[in-house]
Amino acid sequence: MSNSAQINVDGNTYELPVIEGTENEKAIDISKLRGQSGVITIDPGFKNTGSTQSAITFLDGEKGILRYRGYSIEELAEKSSFLEVSYLLIYGELPTAEQYANFKKDITRHTMVHEDVKKILEGFPSVAHPMGVLSSLVCAQTAFYPESLDPNRSGEEVDLSIVRLIAKLPTFAAWSYKNQIGHPVNYPDNSLDYASNFLKMMFANPAENFDVDPVVADALDKLLILHADHEQNCSASTVRIVGSSHASMYASISAGINALWGPLHGGANQAVIEMLENIKNDGGDTKKWMAKAKDKDDPFRLMGFGHRVYKNFDPRARIIKKAADDVLEKLGVNDPILDIAKGLEEEALKDQYFVDRKLYPNVDFYSGIIYRALGIPTDMFTVMFAIGRLPGWIAQWKEMRENKEPIGRPRQVYTGYNERSYTDIGQR
Ligand code: CMC
């Protein structure tokens, strides 16, 4: 039978349904296996386990394909805008001109944040990493909008939370940076587009006029599009699993921000630049660092290389590599670490270790170089990723709730002690 699979356990055969997606991806549905056989499946890191059926993003890691709602990332990066892509991801279709105008107007209206947010911000020491600050401020929205805690809100009420979060995230992000450097915060400028408003809040001195460089704003908008969703990655899965307990959208996305922070996920963009800087300061000997990356006794990994699903190339990395060249040229920036990055890539692509393991540059390998050229400080890189990923997280959270998915609760295989007697040391 083509639409079922059989599994034999202890001499018994169980028939399991096989489901198929719109791109002919097949999956064995094991959800009833334990009930039938008492046996579970195990797959640490979910390397081969689908957690949901989703209509948001398709990617084919072997062919290097990435599409949001059926539209290729290449076409969207070239022709669309971040807010249009956000609408597409969240609501499933590209907006009409009227829908887009209304969406943009709504987002613009909600960029201001409650003044008390400043008090929370001021409680953080200046050394606080902006990712920790960002996730805290997002979670704190549950306090300013307690109605968001109600899991049974109407679609319209949820839409309002969505607009608020997309509108306010750049404000939180820029303010977390301003707090870090001890400068007064800038309020949003609603005459500007999404990326320009963020850049002004980041870099303007309130006492002077500030003109956003359109090259910088365009480059940022494109980077946000490239990061906007990536199906069931670590942070999206976190958002879905937290939201599956009916925690609020703000709490779920705050958790996603924390998941993104790690250097194996979104934090890699910061780690890449730090690595490239180290290589440069160490004399630029890329071969030495390649050897370290291959040495199993050395914890060092080539940051920005490898991906759980891309085993040929990461289409986002291709676009970003070209964008890095364009942006640096347009801005007249000559960054020596771009040459180190290209040298490392060239060596890795012909090195047997990397070839055998299908390790290619990922989205984070070149994005940091662009952020740097745009003047974004290194520890804000992952914050930029978070702003870009927000519509994806929202779409994943919304889909999970609308599909009424059950609470996420994996099983385990217990490997600890069997029952044993308590040793009384007479503490009572
Ligand atoms: N440098 C050196 N060796 C590597 C690297 C690397 N960057 N990545 C994987 N390997 C090796 C790994 O040691 C293993 O070797 P072996 O088979 O001999 O044990 C093999 O390749 C498979 O790696 P894995 O860790 O089992 O693969 P994974 O799917 O669990 O991990 C990854 C994927 C992205 C966490 C990993 O490739 C990595 O740590 N890369 C560096 C961090 C990075 O750039 N992360 C950003 C990912 S893209 C942005 C995002 O969406 O999160």
Side-chain angles (χ1 to χ4, degrees):
M1 256 206 275
S2 63
N3 58 352
S4 74
Q6 288 179 345
I7 183 167
N8 295 312
V9 185
D10 296 336
N12 296 315
T13 302
Y14 303 95
E15 188 104 351
L16 302 170
V18 172
I19 56 165
E20 195 167 338
T22 46
E23 292 284 346
N24 308 322
E25 291 172 303
K26 288 189 177 169
I28 302 168
D29 179 351
I30 51 106
S31 55
K32 301 214 164 51
L33 179 63
R34 185 174 176 277
Q36 292 167 358
S37 65
V39 171
I40 64 159
T41 55
I42 188 155
D43 180 18
F46 310 115
K47 291 197 173 197
N48 196 53
T49 295
S51 58
T52 189
Q53 296 188 53
S54 176
I56 302 169
T57 289
F58 171 70
L59 73 83
D60 181 326
E62 273 69 37
K63 296 193 184 126
I65 293 173
L66 173 61
R67 297 187 203 126
Y68 300 158
R69 302 281 189 188
Y71 298 99
S72 81
I73 190 66
E74 288 82 4
E75 201 176 3
L76 291 171
E78 191 193 328
K79 300 180 185 161
S80 187
S81 71
F82 176 64
L83 284 190
E84 189 185 34
V85 165
S86 301
Y87 187 100
L88 170 70
L89 284 167
I90 295 166
Y91 298 108
E93 296 292 342
L94 285 169
T96 61
E98 191 190 348
Q99 285 168 330
Y100 184 54
N102 286 335
F103 187 59
K104 250 178 29 176
K105 195 175 79 197
D106 287 346
I107 300 265
T108 308
R109 271 188 46 214
H110 287 281
T111 50
M112 288 283 281
V113 302
H114 196 290
E115 275 295 286
D116 285 351
V117 165
K118 277 192 193 162
K119 293 185 193 153
I120 304 176
L121 198 63
E122 284 158 12
F124 284 97
S126 63
V127 290
H129 194 288
M131 281 297 276
V133 177
L134 191 72
S135 75
S136 306
L137 294 183
V138 168
C139 201
Q141 290 312 287
T142 53
F144 294 102
Y145 304 106
E147 68 280 6
S148 66
L149 297 170
D150 175 3
N152 300 315
R153 287 181 315 148
S154 70
E156 269 174 27
E157 288 165 322
V158 171
D159 284 345
L160 181 57
S161 292
I162 290 173
V163 160
R164 281 190 174 129
L165 192 51
I166 297 176
K168 293 180 201 313
L169 200 69
T171 314
F172 294 147
W175 284 18
S176 69
Y177 168 62
K178 288 291 190 193
N179 188 57
Q180 193 184 35
I181 58 171
H183 286 184
V185 299
N186 288 317
Y187 287 94
D189 179 343
N190 291 341
S191 69
L192 297 175
D193 62 72
Y194 195 74
S196 301
N197 171 45
F198 169 72
L199 289 165
K200 186 168 175 190
M201 285 191 287
M202 274 290 285
F203 297 120
N205 169 349
E208 290 170 6
N209 278 340
F210 181 85
D211 291 324
V212 179
D213 182 338
V215 172
V216 175
D218 272 8
L220 180 57
D221 201 71
K222 188 183 271 203
L223 280 169
L224 297 181
I225 293 175
L226 292 172
H227 285 90
D229 194 48
H230 213 234
E231 51 116 301
Q232 308 312 314
N233 55 79
C234 176
S235 56
S237 303
T238 300
V239 169
R240 286 183 92 120
I241 212 163
V242 173
S244 77
S245 73
H246 294 189
S248 81
M249 187 182 75
Y250 296 124
S252 308
I253 286 176
S254 167
I257 294 172
N258 289 324
L260 185 75
W261 191 359
L264 298 189
H265 191 9
N269 55 14
Q270 174 176 342
V272 167
I273 291 292
E274 287 166 355
M275 172 188 80
L276 294 172
E277 276 290 339
N278 282 341
I279 298 177
K280 186 180 83 147
N281 295 337
D282 189 47
D285 181 358
T286 46
K287 289 203 167 49
K288 172 178 160 190
W289 291 79
M290 291 278 294
K292 270 167 78 61
K294 294 189 280 182
D295 180 354
K296 292 288 172 205
D297 296 327
D298 189 325
F300 175 74
R301 280 190 163 196
L302 204 54
M303 299 313 287
F305 260 78
H307 201 277
R308 171 62 60 79
V309 286
Y310 291 123
K311 300 298 173 197
N312 185 346
F313 68 93
D314 179 340
R316 304 166 301 171
R318 277 201 176 163
I319 303 172
I320 289 187
K321 185 180 177 187
K322 177 157 184 327
D325 279 331
D326 290 351
V327 169
L328 266 62
E329 194 192 318
K330 279 189 198 154
L331 296 176
V333 174
N334 182 11
D335 192 337
I337 67 165
L338 179 59
D339 294 331
I340 294 182
K342 285 184 175 171
L344 264 182
E345 178 185 354
E346 209 175 294
E347 274 178 47
L349 293 185
K350 53 185 194 225
D351 187 290
Q352 210 51 47
Y353 174 97
F354 287 84
V355 173
D356 287 348
R357 289 167 182 76
K358 300 186 169 114
L359 302 171
Y360 297 86
N362 59 49
V363 68
D364 286 328
F365 195 60
Y366 287 104
S367 64
I369 294 176
I370 307 189
Y371 289 138
R372 213 156 100 122
L374 304 186
I376 310 276
T378 312
D379 62 3
M380 283 293 287
F381 291 179
T382 316
V383 169
M384 307 313 299
F385 193 154
I387 297 175
R389 185 52 57 87
L390 179 62
W393 288 329
I394 292 172
Q396 300 285 347
W397 178 87
K398 188 165 171 282
E399 182 182 70
M400 179 274 308
R401 291 304 318 277
E402 285 171 358
N403 289 350
K404 300 192 172 18
E405 289 186 11
I407 187 166
R409 203 296 184 193
R411 292 200 174 255
Q412 66 165 18
V413 173
Y414 175 69
T415 60
Y417 288 107
N418 296 118
E419 187 176 15
R420 51 186 178 152
S421 306
Y422 172 72
T423 308
D424 194 345
I425 55 166
Q427 60 161 332
R428 268 207 190 155

Short mmCIF file of all heavy atoms in Angstrom, two decimals, residues 53-58 68-70 89 92 240 399 403:
data_model
loop_
_atom_site.label_atom_id
_atom_site.label_comp_id
_atom_site.label_asym_id
_atom_site.label_seq_id
_atom_site.Cartn_x
_atom_site.Cartn_y
_atom_site.Cartn_z
N GLN A 53 1.66 20.03 10.53
CA GLN A 53 1.45 20.22 9.09
C GLN A 53 1.21 21.72 8.92
O GLN A 53 0.32 22.28 9.55
CB GLN A 53 0.23 19.45 8.61
CG GLN A 53 0.42 17.94 8.77
CD GLN A 53 -0.71 17.16 8.13
OE1 GLN A 53 -1.02 17.34 6.97
NE2 GLN A 53 -1.33 16.28 8.91
N SER A 54 2.04 22.36 8.11
CA SER A 54 2.00 23.81 8.04
C SER A 54 1.91 24.28 6.60
O SER A 54 2.52 23.70 5.71
CB SER A 54 3.28 24.37 8.69
OG SER A 54 3.30 25.78 8.55
N ALA A 55 1.17 25.37 6.40
CA ALA A 55 0.99 25.92 5.04
C ALA A 55 1.76 27.23 4.87
O ALA A 55 1.49 27.98 3.93
CB ALA A 55 -0.50 26.15 4.79
N ILE A 56 2.71 27.50 5.76
CA ILE A 56 3.35 28.83 5.73
C ILE A 56 4.59 28.84 4.83
O ILE A 56 4.66 29.61 3.86
CB ILE A 56 3.73 29.28 7.17
CG1 ILE A 56 2.48 29.31 8.05
CG2 ILE A 56 4.41 30.65 7.13
CD1 ILE A 56 2.75 29.48 9.54
N THR A 57 5.56 28.03 5.14
CA THR A 57 6.85 28.09 4.43
C THR A 57 7.23 26.71 3.92
O THR A 57 7.11 25.72 4.65
CB THR A 57 7.93 28.63 5.39
OG1 THR A 57 7.67 30.01 5.61
CG2 THR A 57 9.33 28.50 4.80
N PHE A 58 7.72 26.68 2.68
CA PHE A 58 8.24 25.42 2.14
C PHE A 58 9.72 25.59 1.91
O PHE A 58 10.16 26.60 1.36
CB PHE A 58 7.54 25.09 0.81
CG PHE A 58 8.19 23.92 0.11
CD1 PHE A 58 8.07 22.63 0.63
CD2 PHE A 58 8.94 24.11 -1.04
CE1 PHE A 58 8.69 21.56 0.00
CE2 PHE A 58 9.56 23.04 -1.67
CZ PHE A 58 9.43 21.76 -1.15
N TYR A 68 7.91 31.45 0.79
CA TYR A 68 6.91 31.85 1.78
C TYR A 68 5.55 31.79 1.08
O TYR A 68 5.33 32.50 0.09
CB TYR A 68 7.12 33.29 2.24
CG TYR A 68 8.44 33.62 2.91
CD1 TYR A 68 8.90 34.95 2.93
CD2 TYR A 68 9.24 32.66 3.54
CE1 TYR A 68 10.08 35.30 3.56
CE2 TYR A 68 10.43 33.01 4.16
CZ TYR A 68 10.85 34.33 4.17
OH TYR A 68 12.02 34.69 4.78
N ARG A 69 4.65 31.00 1.59
CA ARG A 69 3.28 30.90 1.04
C ARG A 69 3.32 30.68 -0.48
O ARG A 69 2.51 31.25 -1.22
CB ARG A 69 2.47 32.16 1.35
CG ARG A 69 2.35 32.48 2.83
CD ARG A 69 1.31 31.64 3.51
NE ARG A 69 1.03 32.08 4.88
CZ ARG A 69 0.27 31.39 5.72
NH1 ARG A 69 -0.30 30.25 5.36
NH2 ARG A 69 0.07 31.81 6.94
N GLY A 70 4.33 29.97 -0.96
CA GLY A 70 4.42 29.64 -2.39
C GLY A 70 5.27 30.60 -3.20
O GLY A 70 5.59 30.30 -4.35
N LEU A 89 2.89 36.34 5.19
CA LEU A 89 3.15 35.21 6.09
C LEU A 89 2.01 35.03 7.09
O LEU A 89 1.54 33.91 7.33
CB LEU A 89 4.46 35.44 6.85
CG LEU A 89 5.74 35.20 6.05
CD1 LEU A 89 6.96 35.76 6.80
CD2 LEU A 89 5.94 33.72 5.77
N GLY A 92 -1.60 34.78 4.87
CA GLY A 92 -1.66 33.71 3.85
C GLY A 92 -1.64 34.17 2.41
O GLY A 92 -1.37 33.38 1.52
N ARG A 240 5.71 27.80 18.96
CA ARG A 240 4.53 26.94 18.84
C ARG A 240 4.32 26.13 20.10
O ARG A 240 3.18 25.96 20.56
CB ARG A 240 4.68 26.01 17.62
CG ARG A 240 4.48 26.71 16.28
CD ARG A 240 4.56 25.74 15.11
NE ARG A 240 3.25 25.24 14.76
CZ ARG A 240 2.66 25.40 13.56
NH1 ARG A 240 3.27 26.03 12.58
NH2 ARG A 240 1.46 24.91 13.34
N GLU A 399 -1.16 29.99 13.25
CA GLU A 399 -1.56 28.75 12.59
C GLU A 399 -1.77 27.63 13.62
O GLU A 399 -2.76 26.88 13.56
CB GLU A 399 -0.48 28.32 11.59
CG GLU A 399 -0.82 27.05 10.81
CD GLU A 399 0.30 26.65 9.86
OE1 GLU A 399 1.37 26.22 10.33
OE2 GLU A 399 0.11 26.75 8.64
N ASN A 403 -5.38 25.99 14.12
CA ASN A 403 -5.55 24.55 13.86
C ASN A 403 -5.88 23.77 15.13
O ASN A 403 -5.97 22.55 15.11
CB ASN A 403 -4.27 23.96 13.26
CG ASN A 403 -4.06 24.43 11.83
OD1 ASN A 403 -4.96 25.02 11.23
ND2 ASN A 403 -2.88 24.17 11.29
#
